[in-house]
Amino acid sequence: NATTGTNPSSVSFSSDGRFIAVSNYSSNTLQIFSFYVFTTPTLVGGNATTGNNPSCITWSPDGRFVAVSNYSSNTLQVFSFDGFSVPTLVGESSPTDNNPNSVSFSPDGRFISVVNRGSNKLQVFSFNGTDTPGQVSSGIATEFTPYSVLWSSDEKFVATVNYASLQIFKADYITDVSVQAISNGIVFGNSNLGSNYDSTVNLLAGANVNVDGLLNYDCAL
């Protein structure tokens, strides 16, 4: 047994099993305990302050971050953890919908889903490891009173359990921060009108282009 804060509301093991994160609903704190087989969990660093009434806590897949949904302050917070110190706040979302009740990282750690019990909404936020989570979907309607949310292991689906139902949502979010060079171009125009009326379309490397409709050409370069 280990002593927590007041009214612990949620618990989560890190993926390597070395740490246990706990959110304390009434004391507005996050705690991380180290754990070794047959020993009492030991508080690491101390308590980190969360928003009002943290309802759910979860680890990122790589064990570097902990996400917390705060039921009464309507926020999503992400804390970094170095294995030794008090968790440090990385970013706090702009207000979520009403009463976020559960939170889940996608398996690749790039997205965080939240269900809001007070507004019957599912939200998805992007997370890059350094900045405040950014909302990538406006509230998606769920059935009445969503309690919990979880990503599928292949990242293609998000499941929610509601007051009397299970729902599955398809997830097709993609984050691409790479910069691609322009390798080709297509010029659309009419030779009778001259080059001033041409429209140039630049293509990224490896891109496929479909042209719908009738295509006439009198010159190919």
Side-chain angles (χ1 to χ4, degrees), residues 161-210:
V161 286
N162 312 299
Y163 180 74
S165 66
L166 164 68
Q167 289 182 294
I168 309 294
F169 296 85
K170 183 178 180 181
D172 58 359
Y173 301 110
I174 298 174
T175 295
D176 185 359
V177 296
S178 62
V179 177
Q180 300 184 56
I182 295 173
S183 62
N184 297 287
I186 296 178
V187 176
F188 293 95
N190 186 323
S191 59
N192 292 327
L193 297 177
S195 60
N196 289 336
Y197 293 88
D198 288 348
S199 177
T200 300
V201 179
N202 293 317
L203 306 180
L204 297 176
N208 293 317
V209 177
N210 294 319

Side-chain angles (χ1 to χ4, degrees), residues 46-71:
N47 299 336
T49 301
T50 66
N52 294 332
N53 303 132
S55 54
C56 186
I57 190 169
T58 188
W59 285 91
S60 64
D62 61 7
R64 297 173 54 209
F65 303 97
V66 177
V68 180
S69 58
N70 298 299
Y71 189 85

Side-chain angles (χ1 to χ4, degrees), residues 9-103:
S9 55
S10 182
V11 61
S12 179
F13 261 105
S14 61
S15 58
D16 62 6
R18 296 173 52 211
F19 299 99
I20 306 171
V22 176
S23 60
N24 299 294
Y25 190 86
S26 295
S27 55
N28 300 327
T29 55
L30 154 66
Q31 295 173 305
I32 295 181
F33 296 83
S34 62
F35 177 71
Y36 301 95
V37 179
F38 306 124
T39 62
T40 299
T42 303
L43 182 64
V44 178
N47 299 336
T49 301
T50 66
N52 294 332
N53 303 132
S55 54
C56 186
I57 190 169
T58 188
W59 285 91
S60 64
D62 61 7
R64 297 173 54 209
F65 303 97
V66 177
V68 180
S69 58
N70 298 299
Y71 189 85
S72 297
S73 55
N74 298 330
T75 54
L76 164 67
Q77 293 177 307
V78 179
F79 295 80
S80 63
F81 178 65
D82 61 8
F84 304 97
S85 310
V86 177
T88 302
L89 182 64
V90 176
E92 180 176 305
S93 70
S94 56
T96 61
D97 258 275
N98 295 333
N99 306 131
N101 200 49
S102 180
V103 60

